[in-house]
Amino acid sequence: MPRRGPAPKREIEGDPVYNDVMVAKLINNVMKDGKKSLAEKIVYAAFDILREKTGKDPLEVFELALEKVRPLVEVKPRRVGGATYQIPIEIEKERGQKLAIKWIIQAARSVKGKRMEEKLADEIINASNETGAAYKKKIDLHKMAEANRSYAHLRW
């Protein structure tokens, strides 16, 4: 943690095709071992599959999926007098978007037997239709926060 105030936020430029910051963040999260060109190919191929399957603009479907998967609260462990409580905390929009992107990619990677482009496209479609593993993860997190709502007064 820096001593002279918080570290400045870095501005991320939009991706080369759609000129959208969220697509650039998706590409950066899909990327492994610094292979950005491969990650771009995967994401753009997934967007082409989205266009074929839905008949809509893939950017709109992706943004809808992000909104549906983005959590509003999360739980953080807090130790109080020897006991650890899961305390629900509202989260910022930026962190929620980061979690949504991460969950969509994790859900796509957990599927076996398909190419990554197809898995990513399927997960984005499922998330926009309020189904799939990423959306279920959001629902589970919200249920946990609701169950631990009585510990909200322990927030610091």
Side-chain angles (χ1 to χ4, degrees), residues 90-135:
E90 292 181 18
I91 57 177
E92 297 174 11
K93 185 176 182 181
E94 206 167 292
R95 170 140 174 85
Q97 288 174 339
K98 179 182 176 181
L99 285 173
I101 289 173
K102 198 166 89 171
W103 291 346
I104 288 172
I105 293 169
Q106 282 177 350
R109 284 189 176 140
S110 66
V111 176
K112 301 293 179 203
K114 289 184 182 177
R115 294 177 53 100
M116 184 60 189
E117 298 92 0
E118 297 167 7
K119 296 190 290 187
L120 186 59
D122 288 344
E123 190 56 42
I124 291 171
I125 290 170
N126 288 341
S128 65
N129 294 331
E130 296 184 1
T131 57
Y135 185 76

Side-chain angles (χ1 to χ4, degrees), residues 8-23:
K9 287 273 183 199
R10 292 189 184 134
E11 291 296 320
I12 295 178
E13 294 180 16
D15 69 299
V17 174
Y18 294 98
N19 199 21
D20 188 66
V21 175
M22 295 314 295
V23 176

Side-chain angles (χ1 to χ4, degrees), residues 55-75:
K56 298 177 187 171
D57 181 31
L59 199 57
E60 291 176 11
V61 177
F62 173 63
E63 288 174 357
L64 178 66
L66 275 185
E67 275 305 306
K68 300 271 177 117
V69 175
R70 184 172 67 89
L72 304 174
V73 292
E74 68 179 342
V75 291

